Amino acid sequence: MTQPLLIENARIIDPASGMDHRGAVLIENGLIADLSTGGPVGVPEGAEVVNAKGLVLAPGLIDMRVFTGEPGKEYRETLASAGQAAAAGGVTSFVMMPDTAPPVDDGALVDFLVRRAKATSVVNILPAAAITKGLKGEDMTEFGLLREAGAVCLSDGRKSIQSTALLRTAFSYAANYDMTIVHHLCDTDLAANGVMNEGLFATILGLMGIPREAETIPLARDLQLALLTGVRYHAAQISTAYSVELVAAAKKRSKRITCGVSINNLALNENDIGRYRTFFKLSTPLRCEDERQAVIDGLRNGTIDTIHSDHDPQDVEVKRQPFAEASDGAIGLETLLAAALRLVHSDDVDIKTVLKAMTTRPAEILGLDSGRIAKGAPADVILFDLDYPWQVTETQIRSRSHNTSFEGARLAGKVMRTIVGGQTVFTHEMETAP
Amino acid sequence: MAQSRSSKASSVKTSSTGDYPPFSQRHLLSIADLQPYEIIDLLDRAEKMVPISRQERKSHPTLAGKTQINLFFESSTRTQGSFEIAGKRLGALVMNMAVKSSSVTKGETLIDTAATLNAMRPDVIVVRHSAAGAVELLSQKVGCAVINAGDGAHEHPTQALLDALTIRRQKGRISGLTVAICGDIANSRVVRSNLLLLGALNVRTRVIAPRNLLPAGIENIATEVFTDMREGLEGADVVMMLRLQHERATGKMIPSVREYYRFYGLDAEKLAFAKPDAIVMHPGPMNRGVEIDPAIADGPAAVIIEQVEMGVAVRMAVLDALLPAGDNTP
């Protein structure tokens, strides 16, 4: 077995128990073997002892929305490179969206991904399986077999299913296996040729707008169907004030309804597009500042459960295009924590709420054992410096694609050590070593 | 009026190196990039180009030895022809390149095209593209001046300049006028450039259209927004009509041409609400009987043909301003 690891003098924040206290954690055999918030801890023989003075110890982040390029577009991202990026960002587990070539719509592919991830990735990769075959929004996949193969939830990734009848059937069938449906919200008819948030800014740029209703109308439909079928339903990512209202109302009627938000919609707004900067072309689009503030409110009051990176590697060929013709998406694994800590540093949201949305809540929604600092829990743990200042530069990006919407951004808060299953997979020293 | 102004202008020297300080912009990508004094500077330069095109020998070879590429990803006869004549009257070597829109035929990207053309060492590239921002993107990848000849629904700066020149020659001024623009505001680059230019010169701008042809937030750009054409035309000095892409809009944005014409087509009855000396403009090509009554289009208030003439003058001025003589000696 690996050498035991004792981390002492850390500020331990565990959103699951509400703990925020100085203490020590002992990691042994891949688990959190002991936890102490007071007196001295016994040091097991041969243990590595880390003095984490000034650092926060928290559960490793669980990112519910990550796209990779494996299989099919390995030049954009492999499971290995995504794993490296995740480790550097303090993400110890992520849900991989099924939008690959071929799409993950078959048990054999899920099985392949589980094995391939174990062999090549330093963090836990949890495959989401497609709801419909080929992500075409027409015929259901084999939910039961996909679950047996290891799919952690069902999602059509970037695609939004348009047929209300199909959604009802899929929700109902997913409830049958108690699987969570994670659904992206876009009325493709209404969004039409829109490429950014509808409003004055789109008008000035001469770009077609995507109205908020392209999100809220399918959301209202989904919520009603979720209540009808009793499925565990997770709205993949919401971005408007009215969406927050809709989810809050539905949550009063069912505990099986949850929703997420992309870090991009929390940290950025449509003005960041500036003069046609395609790294800010996203689906869900960046909205105006009022909507961003409403989404932050939703996070603060618990309506929004999870924050994810929406990590979506795209290469230069598809990004260095006129805005309307460029692909959607930005990478985000490496900046997720620091970007989320912006909300803490600006006193918008307290640190426990922010961490909870990236640890405990995703674990609960996905039925994982991790996402908490407790005796016996998996040792998926991060140490980070809450205030460490750094600037995002292209050269330090570990992802194979460099389409970050935080290029050049000055951030405060950096991961110093990432531990997955008791193994240290990233240290700040590794990053800064020549 | 127009005649007296132009005859006065013809006596002034037209050398690009003589009267003017160098134009400070490297490209002409949008009206939004221009300060009011730069707009006026370009209009003054254009004014002096007008007589050149009225001479018997229409030559003023300040751009001799320079290469101009017209790169049109969207087909255009009027604008491309205008830029070609402008370049040739200034003595430049003009090459026209028509490219199938890159959004349809994937293959060589816009950036690849830019790099390829750049290697041929042109002095200026005139670009039209169906995507907003495409011309600016291209300008970042080449080493020469770039002129936006229309990018999606974003801007068409030389159109706004030629409209302003036409207005100034007709009305003797621009500031303080009321200009009403009517038609498909949502999808028009001409409107955006015009609202920015006229707004910068203290014009009271109005847009008139049915609600579904008004883009979000337009009330923040135009001074006033109207859905009733008669109200919108009340007291206007200038009426600018826009082309309705009726083949595309019918059934989707408007129910029928006859209904559109009834409520938003310019006829004598509606024009009577504007000032008695109001002028009627149209960027062309016109749909007679769709957005404008033929009697108005060809009537005394119309200055549509003068707009075309001013187009050549404005494009000569822009080319001349961006490429001062002697800047590219090896």
Side-chain angles (χ1 to χ4, degrees), chain A residues 144-407:
Chain A
L145 294 175
L146 291 165
R147 187 182 64 164
E148 272 186 1
V152 73
C153 62
L154 295 164
S155 177
D156 264 7
R158 297 183 190 94
K159 296 286 180 63
S160 191
I161 297 168
Q162 302 296 302
S163 162
T164 309
L166 174 63
L167 281 167
R168 180 191 178 168
T169 309
F171 283 16
S172 187
Y173 194 58
N176 193 52
Y177 295 100
D178 202 26
M179 291 184 80
T180 302
I181 293 262
V182 179
H183 195 213
H184 181 58
L185 300 162
C186 180
D187 183 321
T188 52
D189 222 21
L190 189 56
N193 299 319
V195 293
M196 68 171 288
N197 184 45
E198 182 175 285
L200 173 63
F201 199 48
T203 296
I204 288 171
L205 291 174
L207 294 172
M208 298 288 277
I210 302 171
R212 294 156 186 78
E213 289 70 19
E215 171 178 309
T216 57
I217 290 171
L219 176 61
R221 173 203 60 199
D222 280 12
L223 293 171
Q224 290 173 61
L225 292 177
L227 292 170
L228 174 70
T229 58
V231 71
R232 288 183 190 280
Y233 174 80
H234 184 74
Q237 43 187 14
I238 65 169
S239 66
T240 78
Y242 189 48
S243 298
V244 174
E245 275 181 47
L246 286 170
V247 171
K251 279 187 159 191
K252 286 188 185 145
R253 300 176 59 186
S254 168
K255 290 207 182 316
R256 297 160 79 86
I257 288 172
T258 54
C259 82
V261 64
S262 160
I263 187 62
N264 298 312
N265 290 103
L266 283 173
L268 308 168
N269 69 25
E270 61 179 355
N271 296 315
D272 287 301
I273 291 168
R275 292 185 78 149
Y276 307 102
R277 296 162 73 194
T278 59
F279 287 2
F280 298 86
K281 187 184 181 206
L282 307 168
S283 164
T284 308
L286 296 174
R287 303 287 184 185
C288 64
E289 180 62 11
D290 286 353
E291 304 288 1
R292 186 181 82 92
Q293 290 296 337
V295 171
I296 292 173
D297 281 345
L299 175 67
R300 196 165 34 219
N301 69 29
T303 304
I304 293 176
D305 298 273
T306 63
I307 304 171
H308 58 254
S309 68
D310 198 18
H311 180 85
D312 193 352
Q314 299 287 337
D315 57 281
V316 168
E317 185 84 353
V318 296
K319 271 296 185 187
R320 210 173 280 165
Q321 293 276 1
F323 196 87
E325 295 171 8
S327 295
D328 296 326
I331 59 168
L333 278 167
E334 292 163 75
T335 45
L336 174 62
L337 178 67
L341 289 176
R342 271 189 177 179
L343 301 172
V344 176
H345 292 306
S346 61
D347 287 329
D348 279 313
V349 190
D350 66 82
I351 187 163
K352 239 183 273 178
T353 304
V354 166
L355 288 177
K356 186 179 176 183
M358 297 189 288
T359 57
T360 315
R361 286 304 285 147
E364 286 166 358
I365 290 165
L366 298 168
L368 307 177
D369 208 17
S370 53
R372 62 205 170 99
I373 303 293
K375 207 169 162 175
D380 292 354
V381 170
I382 55 172
L383 280 174
F384 66 91
D385 182 331
L386 187 54
D387 300 307
Y388 187 91
W390 59 294
Q391 190 171 16
V392 182
T393 58
E394 202 183 332
T395 50
Q396 82 203 157
I397 291 172
R398 289 166 178 241
S399 173
R400 280 204 180 171
S401 295
H402 291 177
N403 55 312
T404 170
S405 43
F406 292 94
E407 166 94 69

Side-chain angles (χ1 to χ4, degrees), chain B residues 23-41:
Chain B
F23 189 67
S24 61
Q25 304 271 349
R26 184 174 180 217
H27 308 297
L28 180 66
L29 300 175
S30 66
I31 296 295
D33 292 329
L34 300 179
Q35 296 296 322
Y37 72 85
E38 289 173 313
I39 294 169
I40 303 219
D41 176 36

Side-chain angles (χ1 to χ4, degrees), chain B:
Chain B
M1 174 113 189
Q3 205 54 44
S4 68
R5 284 189 66 85
S6 64
S7 62
K8 187 177 137 208
S10 66
S11 63
V12 183
K13 256 181 31 178
T14 50
S15 158
S16 62
T17 48
D19 309 344
Y20 295 105
F23 189 67
S24 61
Q25 304 271 349
R26 184 174 180 217
H27 308 297
L28 180 66
L29 300 175
S30 66
I31 296 295
D33 292 329
L34 300 179
Q35 296 296 322
Y37 72 85
E38 289 173 313
I39 294 169
I40 303 219
D41 176 36
L42 287 175
L43 295 179
D44 290 346
R45 289 169 186 258
E47 189 72 64
K48 292 174 188 181
M49 293 296 181
V50 175
I52 295 169
S53 294
R54 292 181 176 181
Q55 289 163 199
E56 196 172 341
R57 300 176 70 86
K58 301 169 180 53
S59 173
H60 180 66
T62 56
L63 300 192
K66 306 222 175 182
T67 308
Q68 170 188 341
I69 297 179
N70 293 338
L71 179 62
F72 279 62
F73 292 88
E74 251 185 6
S75 62
S76 147
T77 38
R78 191 174 288 250
T79 307
Q80 185 174 327
S82 183
F83 270 109
E84 184 176 354
I85 284 187
K88 285 181 171 166
R89 286 192 179 153
L90 294 175
L93 183 80
V94 183
M95 188 189 85
N96 287 316
M97 268 188 74
V99 193
K100 274 268 186 296
S101 187
S102 63
S103 61
V104 193
T105 49
K106 291 281 176 196
E108 197 178 56
T109 65
L110 182 65
I111 301 297
D112 291 335
T113 309
T116 305
L117 290 181
N118 194 46
M120 301 179 195
R121 305 220 168 249
D123 299 285
V124 58
I125 307 180
V126 179
V127 190
R128 170 169 287 188
H129 197 283
S130 58
V135 181
E136 177 163 344
L137 178 65
L138 186 139
S139 76
Q140 293 160 4
K141 310 292 171 186
V142 296
C144 66
V146 172
I147 299 173
N148 181 1
D151 62 328
H154 177 224
E155 282 225 40
H156 190 358
T158 57
Q159 178 71 43
L161 287 164
L162 76 89
D163 287 342
L165 182 62
T166 308
I167 293 170
R168 195 171 77 172
R169 288 167 62 90
Q170 288 290 328
K171 295 288 173 193
R173 65 187 171 117
I174 295 176
S175 283
L177 296 176
T178 298
V179 176
I181 309 178
C182 180
D184 184 358
I185 309 294
N187 298 300
S188 172
R189 53 189 169 221
V190 175
V191 167
R192 285 167 177 78
S193 287
N194 262 307
L195 290 176
L196 290 168
L197 188 153
L198 296 170
L201 299 184
N202 298 316
V203 166
R204 186 179 186 85
T205 55
R206 296 174 174 178
V207 292
I208 308 166
R211 279 178 193 278
N212 43 340
L213 294 180
L214 289 170
I218 188 70
E219 64 281 0
N220 295 297
I221 308 173
T223 318
E224 291 169 292
V225 179
F226 293 90
T227 53
D228 182 294
M229 195 166 176
R230 290 173 185 83
E231 287 174 20
L233 292 184
E234 184 78 51
D237 297 286
V238 176
V239 182
M240 218 178 258
M241 298 305 296
L242 297 174
R243 176 180 168 80
L244 180 76
Q245 299 265 352
H246 62 97
E247 313 85 354
R248 216 175 45 192
T250 304
K252 302 278 193 285
M253 303 302 283
I254 56 154
S256 69
V257 164
R258 68 174 189 182
E259 175 152 310
Y260 183 81
Y261 181 73
R262 171 72 169 271
F263 293 95
Y264 298 97
L266 186 67
D267 55 19
E269 189 265 326
K270 296 195 196 86
L271 182 57
F273 284 83
K275 281 197 183 148
D277 64 344
I279 55 169
V280 173
M281 305 175 72
H282 194 298
M286 274 184 287
N287 297 303
R288 290 184 170 83
V290 177
E291 69 256 355
I292 191 162
D293 182 342
I296 302 292
D298 306 319
V303 295
I304 297 162
I305 297 303
E306 181 172 350
Q307 284 177 272
V308 178
E309 185 187 355
M310 292 310 118
V312 175
V314 156
R315 285 159 188 141
M316 287 169 77
V318 169
L319 287 165
D320 189 58
L322 291 176
L323 300 178
D327 75 327
N328 68 335
T329 42

